[in-house]
Amino acid sequence: MRVLGIESSCDETSAAVVRGPSSRPTLDSLVILSQDIHAIFGGVVPEIASREHLTAIVPVTKRALAEAGVSLAEVDAIAVTHAPGLVGALLVGVSYAKALAFATGKPVVGVHHMEGHLFATALEHPDAVPPFAALLVSGGHTLLLDVEAWGRYRLLGRTRDDAAGEAFDKAAKLLGLPYPGGRHLEALARDGDPKRHRFTRPMLNGGQRLGDPDYYDVSFSGLKTAVLVATQAATDLDAEKSHIARSFQDAVVDTLVAKTKRAAQAHGRRRIVLGGGVACNGALVAAMREAAAELNAEVFAPTPRLATDNAAMIAAAGLFHLEQGRQDGPTLNAHSSRPIPGLVAR
Ligand code: KG4
Ligand code: ZN
């Protein structure tokens, strides 16, 4: 089965062609157009995002089909992100996917964006398949899941406030870095002294026990305040920036790694899969590998192209659902917020 994937939930217009079976997916093409315009405003402007998707979606899709060397007629189904995200942005992808499906008589399936992130790594690593512990860290979400099987997700922890990527972006903004600031902050932190500032590890202490409500959850808003206070206290901010960035990153990484390790340990998982834009962070991946080694577990991290928002992961997740016999009709709609499907009880 050959699936055309479409993603437009935030500020990337993307289309991809993925071929099944879903147990061994092949990526035939992936086109991602990032909307650079939001950098001017220091954050995504929803109305502008929708308009940009409108102008980009047709050429991006055509290019993805051309790069895969197929026509629309040779595609078996269409998968599209329908939740969660900016509703106006999502609607562009959903409306276009439904129109293509209606015009060609092919099935369309709506995919949850975060479920898509779970499937991304398997496109590059054949062993990044369930069962595994998953840490999804993006600009809008931070989820810690135990993935028993595709379509069966145990939600263990999430952020109580800011998402990990959002925290990186806000800290970066306080340090005067461009938006989105995650990768700029990582670069700045490389020259930082880890001992000059010591920020507390949010929601992480040795007294936490399995069953406690904060055992797996994270919280990053206090850390953002710590960065603010440190920048205000600095007499020479330019000289201090890299040290603040380093301490911020260390605190986020330590917290995410400790919580993920708890998840893998509690469920006896030997595989840890990372996803979302923050999975591009080299310090996070390195620290996760070190912690996983103590459990004899392996860490799978996607390359940046598949870690950040892309349509290949949507096509891969869609492929799985289509193989399960699921498909949506003309009533498929966009939703700004929705729980990941397939949740099982803790
Ligand atoms: O998954 P994604 O592309 O979009 C959402 O679904 O939100 O993630 C984007 C987020 C941004 O917050 C960005 O700053 C962050 O990923 N990010 C990073 C790095 N590269 C991207 N954060 C930390 N270190 C990086 N190297
Ligand atoms: Zn995302």
mmCIF file with all atom_site columns, all heavy atoms in Angstrom, residues 8-11 35 38 44-50 53 82-92 334-337:
data_model
loop_
_atom_site.group_PDB
_atom_site.id
_atom_site.type_symbol
_atom_site.label_atom_id
_atom_site.label_alt_id
_atom_site.label_comp_id
_atom_site.label_asym_id
_atom_site.label_entity_id
_atom_site.label_seq_id
_atom_site.pdbx_PDB_ins_code
_atom_site.Cartn_x
_atom_site.Cartn_y
_atom_site.Cartn_z
_atom_site.occupancy
_atom_site.B_iso_or_equiv
_atom_site.pdbx_formal_charge
_atom_site.auth_seq_id
_atom_site.auth_comp_id
_atom_site.auth_asym_id
_atom_site.auth_atom_id
_atom_site.pdbx_PDB_model_num
ATOM 1   N N   . SER A 1 8   ? 0.080   19.787 8.293  1.00 0.00 ? 8   SER A N   1
ATOM 2   C CA  . SER A 1 8   ? 0.001   21.255 8.299  1.00 0.00 ? 8   SER A CA  1
ATOM 3   C C   . SER A 1 8   ? -0.472  21.754 9.664  1.00 0.00 ? 8   SER A C   1
ATOM 4   O O   . SER A 1 8   ? -1.205  22.730 9.736  1.00 0.00 ? 8   SER A O   1
ATOM 5   C CB  . SER A 1 8   ? -0.973  21.738 7.200  1.00 0.00 ? 8   SER A CB  1
ATOM 6   O OG  . SER A 1 8   ? -2.303  21.409 7.555  1.00 0.00 ? 8   SER A OG  1
ATOM 7   N N   . SER A 1 9   ? -0.030  21.094 10.750 1.00 0.00 ? 9   SER A N   1
ATOM 8   C CA  . SER A 1 9   ? -0.606  21.433 12.058 1.00 0.00 ? 9   SER A CA  1
ATOM 9   C C   . SER A 1 9   ? -0.028  22.699 12.675 1.00 0.00 ? 9   SER A C   1
ATOM 10  O O   . SER A 1 9   ? -0.647  23.316 13.528 1.00 0.00 ? 9   SER A O   1
ATOM 11  C CB  . SER A 1 9   ? -0.425  20.268 13.030 1.00 0.00 ? 9   SER A CB  1
ATOM 12  O OG  . SER A 1 9   ? 0.940   20.075 13.310 1.00 0.00 ? 9   SER A OG  1
ATOM 13  N N   . CYS A 1 10  ? 1.186   23.087 12.237 1.00 0.00 ? 10  CYS A N   1
ATOM 14  C CA  . CYS A 1 10  ? 1.803   24.268 12.855 1.00 0.00 ? 10  CYS A CA  1
ATOM 15  C C   . CYS A 1 10  ? 2.447   25.137 11.774 1.00 0.00 ? 10  CYS A C   1
ATOM 16  O O   . CYS A 1 10  ? 1.732   25.735 10.980 1.00 0.00 ? 10  CYS A O   1
ATOM 17  C CB  . CYS A 1 10  ? 2.784   23.811 13.936 1.00 0.00 ? 10  CYS A CB  1
ATOM 18  S SG  . CYS A 1 10  ? 3.369   25.159 14.956 1.00 0.00 ? 10  CYS A SG  1
ATOM 19  N N   . ASP A 1 11  ? 3.759   25.176 11.720 1.00 0.00 ? 11  ASP A N   1
ATOM 20  C CA  . ASP A 1 11  ? 4.391   26.075 10.741 1.00 0.00 ? 11  ASP A CA  1
ATOM 21  C C   . ASP A 1 11  ? 5.259   25.354 9.725  1.00 0.00 ? 11  ASP A C   1
ATOM 22  O O   . ASP A 1 11  ? 6.170   25.948 9.162  1.00 0.00 ? 11  ASP A O   1
ATOM 23  C CB  . ASP A 1 11  ? 5.184   27.182 11.464 1.00 0.00 ? 11  ASP A CB  1
ATOM 24  C CG  . ASP A 1 11  ? 6.225   26.630 12.415 1.00 0.00 ? 11  ASP A CG  1
ATOM 25  O OD1 . ASP A 1 11  ? 6.190   25.428 12.701 1.00 0.00 ? 11  ASP A OD1 1
ATOM 26  O OD2 . ASP A 1 11  ? 7.071   27.413 12.871 1.00 0.00 ? 11  ASP A OD2 1
ATOM 27  N N   . GLN A 1 35  ? 7.947   27.589 7.455  1.00 0.00 ? 35  GLN A N   1
ATOM 28  C CA  . GLN A 1 35  ? 7.508   28.982 7.307  1.00 0.00 ? 35  GLN A CA  1
ATOM 29  C C   . GLN A 1 35  ? 8.423   29.894 8.130  1.00 0.00 ? 35  GLN A C   1
ATOM 30  O O   . GLN A 1 35  ? 8.208   30.103 9.311  1.00 0.00 ? 35  GLN A O   1
ATOM 31  C CB  . GLN A 1 35  ? 6.057   29.121 7.771  1.00 0.00 ? 35  GLN A CB  1
ATOM 32  C CG  . GLN A 1 35  ? 5.093   28.194 7.037  1.00 0.00 ? 35  GLN A CG  1
ATOM 33  C CD  . GLN A 1 35  ? 3.670   28.300 7.567  1.00 0.00 ? 35  GLN A CD  1
ATOM 34  O OE1 . GLN A 1 35  ? 3.390   28.989 8.548  1.00 0.00 ? 35  GLN A OE1 1
ATOM 35  N NE2 . GLN A 1 35  ? 2.752   27.605 6.916  1.00 0.00 ? 35  GLN A NE2 1
ATOM 36  N N   . HIS A 1 38  ? 7.616   33.474 10.627 1.00 0.00 ? 38  HIS A N   1
ATOM 37  C CA  . HIS A 1 38  ? 7.279   33.630 12.044 1.00 0.00 ? 38  HIS A CA  1
ATOM 38  C C   . HIS A 1 38  ? 8.456   34.118 12.892 1.00 0.00 ? 38  HIS A C   1
ATOM 39  O O   . HIS A 1 38  ? 8.245   34.650 13.985 1.00 0.00 ? 38  HIS A O   1
ATOM 40  C CB  . HIS A 1 38  ? 6.721   32.324 12.604 1.00 0.00 ? 38  HIS A CB  1
ATOM 41  C CG  . HIS A 1 38  ? 5.539   31.813 11.834 1.00 0.00 ? 38  HIS A CG  1
ATOM 42  N ND1 . HIS A 1 38  ? 4.308   32.429 11.900 1.00 0.00 ? 38  HIS A ND1 1
ATOM 43  C CD2 . HIS A 1 38  ? 5.414   30.797 10.947 1.00 0.00 ? 38  HIS A CD2 1
ATOM 44  C CE1 . HIS A 1 38  ? 3.466   31.779 11.101 1.00 0.00 ? 38  HIS A CE1 1
ATOM 45  N NE2 . HIS A 1 38  ? 4.116   30.797 10.503 1.00 0.00 ? 38  HIS A NE2 1
ATOM 46  N N   . VAL A 1 44  ? 4.857   31.607 16.412 1.00 0.00 ? 44  VAL A N   1
ATOM 47  C CA  . VAL A 1 44  ? 3.971   31.311 15.281 1.00 0.00 ? 44  VAL A CA  1
ATOM 48  C C   . VAL A 1 44  ? 2.700   32.166 15.360 1.00 0.00 ? 44  VAL A C   1
ATOM 49  O O   . VAL A 1 44  ? 2.009   32.178 16.380 1.00 0.00 ? 44  VAL A O   1
ATOM 50  C CB  . VAL A 1 44  ? 3.608   29.808 15.257 1.00 0.00 ? 44  VAL A CB  1
ATOM 51  C CG1 . VAL A 1 44  ? 2.644   29.501 14.123 1.00 0.00 ? 44  VAL A CG1 1
ATOM 52  C CG2 . VAL A 1 44  ? 4.867   28.969 15.125 1.00 0.00 ? 44  VAL A CG2 1
ATOM 53  N N   . VAL A 1 45  ? 2.402   32.872 14.277 1.00 0.00 ? 45  VAL A N   1
ATOM 54  C CA  . VAL A 1 45  ? 1.170   33.671 14.194 1.00 0.00 ? 45  VAL A CA  1
ATOM 55  C C   . VAL A 1 45  ? 0.143   32.813 13.444 1.00 0.00 ? 45  VAL A C   1
ATOM 56  O O   . VAL A 1 45  ? 0.304   32.547 12.254 1.00 0.00 ? 45  VAL A O   1
ATOM 57  C CB  . VAL A 1 45  ? 1.406   35.004 13.440 1.00 0.00 ? 45  VAL A CB  1
ATOM 58  C CG1 . VAL A 1 45  ? 0.142   35.851 13.435 1.00 0.00 ? 45  VAL A CG1 1
ATOM 59  C CG2 . VAL A 1 45  ? 2.579   35.766 14.049 1.00 0.00 ? 45  VAL A CG2 1
ATOM 60  N N   . PRO A 1 46  ? -0.901  32.323 14.160 1.00 0.00 ? 46  PRO A N   1
ATOM 61  C CA  . PRO A 1 46  ? -1.805  31.334 13.560 1.00 0.00 ? 46  PRO A CA  1
ATOM 62  C C   . PRO A 1 46  ? -2.402  31.736 12.207 1.00 0.00 ? 46  PRO A C   1
ATOM 63  O O   . PRO A 1 46  ? -2.424  30.930 11.271 1.00 0.00 ? 46  PRO A O   1
ATOM 64  C CB  . PRO A 1 46  ? -2.907  31.179 14.621 1.00 0.00 ? 46  PRO A CB  1
ATOM 65  C CG  . PRO A 1 46  ? -2.232  31.531 15.903 1.00 0.00 ? 46  PRO A CG  1
ATOM 66  C CD  . PRO A 1 46  ? -1.248  32.614 15.558 1.00 0.00 ? 46  PRO A CD  1
ATOM 67  N N   . GLU A 1 47  ? -2.881  32.964 12.093 1.00 0.00 ? 47  GLU A N   1
ATOM 68  C CA  . GLU A 1 47  ? -3.525  33.388 10.847 1.00 0.00 ? 47  GLU A CA  1
ATOM 69  C C   . GLU A 1 47  ? -2.537  33.372 9.671  1.00 0.00 ? 47  GLU A C   1
ATOM 70  O O   . GLU A 1 47  ? -2.862  32.956 8.561  1.00 0.00 ? 47  GLU A O   1
ATOM 71  C CB  . GLU A 1 47  ? -4.125  34.795 11.038 1.00 0.00 ? 47  GLU A CB  1
ATOM 72  C CG  . GLU A 1 47  ? -4.880  35.361 9.863  1.00 0.00 ? 47  GLU A CG  1
ATOM 73  C CD  . GLU A 1 47  ? -6.043  34.474 9.403  1.00 0.00 ? 47  GLU A CD  1
ATOM 74  O OE1 . GLU A 1 47  ? -6.624  33.753 10.228 1.00 0.00 ? 47  GLU A OE1 1
ATOM 75  O OE2 . GLU A 1 47  ? -6.342  34.510 8.190  1.00 0.00 ? 47  GLU A OE2 1
ATOM 76  N N   . ILE A 1 48  ? -1.317  33.812 9.948  1.00 0.00 ? 48  ILE A N   1
ATOM 77  C CA  . ILE A 1 48  ? -0.290  33.794 8.890  1.00 0.00 ? 48  ILE A CA  1
ATOM 78  C C   . ILE A 1 48  ? 0.044   32.355 8.521  1.00 0.00 ? 48  ILE A C   1
ATOM 79  O O   . ILE A 1 48  ? 0.186   32.019 7.339  1.00 0.00 ? 48  ILE A O   1
ATOM 80  C CB  . ILE A 1 48  ? 0.981   34.560 9.340  1.00 0.00 ? 48  ILE A CB  1
ATOM 81  C CG1 . ILE A 1 48  ? 0.646   36.040 9.548  1.00 0.00 ? 48  ILE A CG1 1
ATOM 82  C CG2 . ILE A 1 48  ? 2.108   34.390 8.325  1.00 0.00 ? 48  ILE A CG2 1
ATOM 83  C CD1 . ILE A 1 48  ? 1.807   36.881 10.030 1.00 0.00 ? 48  ILE A CD1 1
ATOM 84  N N   . ALA A 1 49  ? 0.122   31.485 9.534  1.00 0.00 ? 49  ALA A N   1
ATOM 85  C CA  . ALA A 1 49  ? 0.438   30.074 9.263  1.00 0.00 ? 49  ALA A CA  1
ATOM 86  C C   . ALA A 1 49  ? -0.593  29.475 8.307  1.00 0.00 ? 49  ALA A C   1
ATOM 87  O O   . ALA A 1 49  ? -0.237  28.823 7.324  1.00 0.00 ? 49  ALA A O   1
ATOM 88  C CB  . ALA A 1 49  ? 0.481   29.283 10.573 1.00 0.00 ? 49  ALA A CB  1
ATOM 89  N N   . SER A 1 50  ? -1.888  29.742 8.568  1.00 0.00 ? 50  SER A N   1
ATOM 90  C CA  . SER A 1 50  ? -2.939  29.177 7.706  1.00 0.00 ? 50  SER A CA  1
ATOM 91  C C   . SER A 1 50  ? -2.769  29.662 6.270  1.00 0.00 ? 50  SER A C   1
ATOM 92  O O   . SER A 1 50  ? -2.865  28.882 5.321  1.00 0.00 ? 50  SER A O   1
ATOM 93  C CB  . SER A 1 50  ? -4.333  29.598 8.181  1.00 0.00 ? 50  SER A CB  1
ATOM 94  O OG  . SER A 1 50  ? -4.456  29.385 9.553  1.00 0.00 ? 50  SER A OG  1
ATOM 95  N N   . HIS A 1 53  ? 0.121   27.978 4.542  1.00 0.00 ? 53  HIS A N   1
ATOM 96  C CA  . HIS A 1 53  ? -0.205  26.593 4.174  1.00 0.00 ? 53  HIS A CA  1
ATOM 97  C C   . HIS A 1 53  ? -1.022  26.570 2.883  1.00 0.00 ? 53  HIS A C   1
ATOM 98  O O   . HIS A 1 53  ? -0.808  25.727 2.020  1.00 0.00 ? 53  HIS A O   1
ATOM 99  C CB  . HIS A 1 53  ? -1.017  25.907 5.278  1.00 0.00 ? 53  HIS A CB  1
ATOM 100 C CG  . HIS A 1 53  ? -0.203  25.510 6.472  1.00 0.00 ? 53  HIS A CG  1
ATOM 101 N ND1 . HIS A 1 53  ? 0.936   24.739 6.379  1.00 0.00 ? 53  HIS A ND1 1
ATOM 102 C CD2 . HIS A 1 53  ? -0.352  25.775 7.791  1.00 0.00 ? 53  HIS A CD2 1
ATOM 103 C CE1 . HIS A 1 53  ? 1.436   24.548 7.588  1.00 0.00 ? 53  HIS A CE1 1
ATOM 104 N NE2 . HIS A 1 53  ? 0.676   25.174 8.465  1.00 0.00 ? 53  HIS A NE2 1
ATOM 105 N N   . HIS A 1 82  ? -4.977  15.582 11.642 1.00 0.00 ? 82  HIS A N   1
ATOM 106 C CA  . HIS A 1 82  ? -6.259  16.268 11.895 1.00 0.00 ? 82  HIS A CA  1
ATOM 107 C C   . HIS A 1 82  ? -6.340  16.806 13.333 1.00 0.00 ? 82  HIS A C   1
ATOM 108 O O   . HIS A 1 82  ? -7.275  17.512 13.677 1.00 0.00 ? 82  HIS A O   1
ATOM 109 C CB  . HIS A 1 82  ? -7.451  15.360 11.556 1.00 0.00 ? 82  HIS A CB  1
ATOM 110 C CG  . HIS A 1 82  ? -7.716  14.296 12.570 1.00 0.00 ? 82  HIS A CG  1
ATOM 111 N ND1 . HIS A 1 82  ? -8.918  14.166 13.201 1.00 0.00 ? 82  HIS A ND1 1
ATOM 112 C CD2 . HIS A 1 82  ? -6.923  13.340 13.057 1.00 0.00 ? 82  HIS A CD2 1
ATOM 113 C CE1 . HIS A 1 82  ? -8.847  13.148 14.040 1.00 0.00 ? 82  HIS A CE1 1
ATOM 114 N NE2 . HIS A 1 82  ? -7.638  12.644 13.975 1.00 0.00 ? 82  HIS A NE2 1
ATOM 115 N N   . ALA A 1 83  ? -5.351  16.473 14.176 1.00 0.00 ? 83  ALA A N   1
ATOM 116 C CA  . ALA A 1 83  ? -5.303  16.966 15.555 1.00 0.00 ? 83  ALA A CA  1
ATOM 117 C C   . ALA A 1 83  ? -3.976  16.548 16.155 1.00 0.00 ? 83  ALA A C   1
ATOM 118 O O   . ALA A 1 83  ? -3.383  15.576 15.696 1.00 0.00 ? 83  ALA A O   1
ATOM 119 C CB  . ALA A 1 83  ? -6.447  16.340 16.378 1.00 0.00 ? 83  ALA A CB  1
ATOM 120 N N   . PRO A 1 84  ? -3.498  17.195 17.192 1.00 0.00 ? 84  PRO A N   1
ATOM 121 C CA  . PRO A 1 84  ? -3.881  18.530 17.645 1.00 0.00 ? 84  PRO A CA  1
ATOM 122 C C   . PRO A 1 84  ? -3.027  19.559 16.897 1.00 0.00 ? 84  PRO A C   1
ATOM 123 O O   . PRO A 1 84  ? -2.098  19.196 16.195 1.00 0.00 ? 84  PRO A O   1
ATOM 124 C CB  . PRO A 1 84  ? -3.498  18.475 19.133 1.00 0.00 ? 84  PRO A CB  1
ATOM 125 C CG  . PRO A 1 84  ? -2.337  17.516 19.202 1.00 0.00 ? 84  PRO A CG  1
ATOM 126 C CD  . PRO A 1 84  ? -2.487  16.564 18.038 1.00 0.00 ? 84  PRO A CD  1
ATOM 127 N N   . GLY A 1 85  ? -3.320  20.839 17.089 1.00 0.00 ? 85  GLY A N   1
ATOM 128 C CA  . GLY A 1 85  ? -2.552  21.888 16.427 1.00 0.00 ? 85  GLY A CA  1
ATOM 129 C C   . GLY A 1 85  ? -3.377  23.142 16.274 1.00 0.00 ? 85  GLY A C   1
ATOM 130 O O   . GLY A 1 85  ? -4.446  23.282 16.879 1.00 0.00 ? 85  GLY A O   1
ATOM 131 N N   . LEU A 1 86  ? -2.881  24.046 15.444 1.00 0.00 ? 86  LEU A N   1
ATOM 132 C CA  . LEU A 1 86  ? -3.622  25.291 15.174 1.00 0.00 ? 86  LEU A CA  1
ATOM 133 C C   . LEU A 1 86  ? -4.778  24.906 14.258 1.00 0.00 ? 86  LEU A C   1
ATOM 134 O O   . LEU A 1 86  ? -4.554  24.343 13.182 1.00 0.00 ? 86  LEU A O   1
ATOM 135 C CB  . LEU A 1 86  ? -2.719  26.303 14.472 1.00 0.00 ? 86  LEU A CB  1
ATOM 136 C CG  . LEU A 1 86  ? -1.447  26.673 15.228 1.00 0.00 ? 86  LEU A CG  1
ATOM 137 C CD1 . LEU A 1 86  ? -0.504  27.474 14.327 1.00 0.00 ? 86  LEU A CD1 1
ATOM 138 C CD2 . LEU A 1 86  ? -1.801  27.474 16.483 1.00 0.00 ? 86  LEU A CD2 1
ATOM 139 N N   . VAL A 1 87  ? -5.988  25.218 14.680 1.00 0.00 ? 87  VAL A N   1
ATOM 140 C CA  . VAL A 1 87  ? -7.134  24.657 13.949 1.00 0.00 ? 87  VAL A CA  1
ATOM 141 C C   . VAL A 1 87  ? -7.210  25.185 12.513 1.00 0.00 ? 87  VAL A C   1
ATOM 142 O O   . VAL A 1 87  ? -7.521  24.425 11.583 1.00 0.00 ? 87  VAL A O   1
ATOM 143 C CB  . VAL A 1 87  ? -8.443  24.825 14.762 1.00 0.00 ? 87  VAL A CB  1
ATOM 144 C CG1 . VAL A 1 87  ? -9.015  26.224 14.666 1.00 0.00 ? 87  VAL A CG1 1
ATOM 145 C CG2 . VAL A 1 87  ? -9.456  23.784 14.354 1.00 0.00 ? 87  VAL A CG2 1
ATOM 146 N N   . GLY A 1 88  ? -6.883  26.437 12.311 1.00 0.00 ? 88  GLY A N   1
ATOM 147 C CA  . GLY A 1 88  ? -6.909  26.999 10.953 1.00 0.00 ? 88  GLY A CA  1
ATOM 148 C C   . GLY A 1 88  ? -5.864  26.353 10.067 1.00 0.00 ? 88  GLY A C   1
ATOM 149 O O   . GLY A 1 88  ? -6.098  26.096 8.879  1.00 0.00 ? 88  GLY A O   1
ATOM 150 N N   . ALA A 1 89  ? -4.709  26.081 10.634 1.00 0.00 ? 89  ALA A N   1
ATOM 151 C CA  . ALA A 1 89  ? -3.621  25.432 9.893  1.00 0.00 ? 89  ALA A CA  1
ATOM 152 C C   . ALA A 1 89  ? -3.998  23.989 9.567  1.00 0.00 ? 89  ALA A C   1
ATOM 153 O O   . ALA A 1 89  ? -3.842  23.525 8.436  1.00 0.00 ? 89  ALA A O   1
ATOM 154 C CB  . ALA A 1 89  ? -2.334  25.481 10.708 1.00 0.00 ? 89  ALA A CB  1
ATOM 155 N N   . LEU A 1 90  ? -4.534  23.278 10.561 1.00 0.00 ? 90  LEU A N   1
ATOM 156 C CA  . LEU A 1 90  ? -4.955  21.890 10.357 1.00 0.00 ? 90  LEU A CA  1
ATOM 157 C C   . LEU A 1 90  ? -6.022  21.790 9.270  1.00 0.00 ? 90  LEU A C   1
ATOM 158 O O   . LEU A 1 90  ? -6.011  20.864 8.457  1.00 0.00 ? 90  LEU A O   1
ATOM 159 C CB  . LEU A 1 90  ? -5.544  21.329 11.659 1.00 0.00 ? 90  LEU A CB  1
ATOM 160 C CG  . LEU A 1 90  ? -4.573  20.953 12.772 1.00 0.00 ? 90  LEU A CG  1
ATOM 161 C CD1 . LEU A 1 90  ? -5.333  20.761 14.078 1.00 0.00 ? 90  LEU A CD1 1
ATOM 162 C CD2 . LEU A 1 90  ? -3.798  19.682 12.423 1.00 0.00 ? 90  LEU A CD2 1
ATOM 163 N N   . LEU A 1 91  ? -6.937  22.775 9.282  1.00 0.00 ? 91  LEU A N   1
ATOM 164 C CA  . LEU A 1 91  ? -8.057  22.739 8.328  1.00 0.00 ? 91  LEU A CA  1
ATOM 165 C C   . LEU A 1 91  ? -7.582  22.765 6.882  1.00 0.00 ? 91  LEU A C   1
ATOM 166 O O   . LEU A 1 91  ? -8.223  22.180 6.008  1.00 0.00 ? 91  LEU A O   1
ATOM 167 C CB  . LEU A 1 91  ? -8.999  23.922 8.585  1.00 0.00 ? 91  LEU A CB  1
ATOM 168 C CG  . LEU A 1 91  ? -10.140 23.640 9.559  1.00 0.00 ? 91  LEU A CG  1
ATOM 169 C CD1 . LEU A 1 91  ? -10.879 24.930 9.896  1.00 0.00 ? 91  LEU A CD1 1
ATOM 170 C CD2 . LEU A 1 91  ? -11.112 22.602 8.980  1.00 0.00 ? 91  LEU A CD2 1
ATOM 171 N N   . VAL A 1 92  ? -6.463  23.446 6.628  1.00 0.00 ? 92  VAL A N   1
ATOM 172 C CA  . VAL A 1 92  ? -5.946  23.507 5.257  1.00 0.00 ? 92  VAL A CA  1
ATOM 173 C C   . VAL A 1 92  ? -5.580  22.097 4.789  1.00 0.00 ? 92  VAL A C   1
ATOM 174 O O   . VAL A 1 92  ? -6.000  21.653 3.712  1.00 0.00 ? 92  VAL A O   1
ATOM 175 C CB  . VAL A 1 92  ? -4.721  24.456 5.160  1.00 0.00 ? 92  VAL A CB  1
ATOM 176 C CG1 . VAL A 1 92  ? -4.140  24.432 3.751  1.00 0.00 ? 92  VAL A CG1 1
ATOM 177 C CG2 . VAL A 1 92  ? -5.109  25.877 5.559  1.00 0.00 ? 92  VAL A CG2 1
ATOM 178 N N   . ALA A 1 334 ? -10.920 18.965 11.749 1.00 0.00 ? 334 ALA A N   1
ATOM 179 C CA  . ALA A 1 334 ? -9.706  19.368 12.461 1.00 0.00 ? 334 ALA A CA  1
ATOM 180 C C   . ALA A 1 334 ? -10.051 19.677 13.911 1.00 0.00 ? 334 ALA A C   1
ATOM 181 O O   . ALA A 1 334 ? -11.107 20.248 14.196 1.00 0.00 ? 334 ALA A O   1
ATOM 182 C CB  . ALA A 1 334 ? -9.122  20.601 11.781 1.00 0.00 ? 334 ALA A CB  1
ATOM 183 N N   . HIS A 1 335 ? -9.155  19.299 14.830 1.00 0.00 ? 335 HIS A N   1
ATOM 184 C CA  . HIS A 1 335 ? -9.385  19.546 16.260 1.00 0.00 ? 335 HIS A CA  1
ATOM 185 C C   . HIS A 1 335 ? -8.110  20.117 16.865 1.00 0.00 ? 335 HIS A C   1
ATOM 186 O O   . HIS A 1 335 ? -7.045  19.518 16.735 1.00 0.00 ? 335 HIS A O   1
ATOM 187 C CB  . HIS A 1 335 ? -9.754  18.251 16.985 1.00 0.00 ? 335 HIS A CB  1
ATOM 188 C CG  . HIS A 1 335 ? -10.922 17.539 16.374 1.00 0.00 ? 335 HIS A CG  1
ATOM 189 N ND1 . HIS A 1 335 ? -12.221 17.839 16.718 1.00 0.00 ? 335 HIS A ND1 1
ATOM 190 C CD2 . HIS A 1 335 ? -10.978 16.587 15.422 1.00 0.00 ? 335 HIS A CD2 1
ATOM 191 C CE1 . HIS A 1 335 ? -13.032 17.067 16.000 1.00 0.00 ? 335 HIS A CE1 1
ATOM 192 N NE2 . HIS A 1 335 ? -12.304 16.312 15.210 1.00 0.00 ? 335 HIS A NE2 1
ATOM 193 N N   . SER A 1 336 ? -8.248  21.226 17.583 1.00 0.00 ? 336 SER A N   1
ATOM 194 C CA  . SER A 1 336 ? -7.056  21.858 18.156 1.00 0.00 ? 336 SER A CA  1
ATOM 195 C C   . SER A 1 336 ? -6.447  21.014 19.269 1.00 0.00 ? 336 SER A C   1
ATOM 196 O O   . SER A 1 336 ? -5.239  21.020 19.480 1.00 0.00 ? 336 SER A O   1
ATOM 197 C CB  . SER A 1 336 ? -7.401  23.255 18.669 1.00 0.00 ? 336 SER A CB  1
ATOM 198 O OG  . SER A 1 336 ? -8.403  23.147 19.650 1.00 0.00 ? 336 SER A OG  1
ATOM 199 N N   . SER A 1 337 ? -7.309  20.297 19.975 1.00 0.00 ? 337 SER A N   1
ATOM 200 C CA  . SER A 1 337 ? -6.796  19.510 21.089 1.00 0.00 ? 337 SER A CA  1
ATOM 201 C C   . SER A 1 337 ? -7.549  18.183 21.162 1.00 0.00 ? 337 SER A C   1
ATOM 202 O O   . SER A 1 337 ? -8.788  18.157 21.041 1.00 0.00 ? 337 SER A O   1
ATOM 203 C CB  . SER A 1 337 ? -6.986  20.333 22.363 1.00 0.00 ? 337 SER A CB  1
ATOM 204 O OG  . SER A 1 337 ? -7.017  19.507 23.474 1.00 0.00 ? 337 SER A OG  1
#
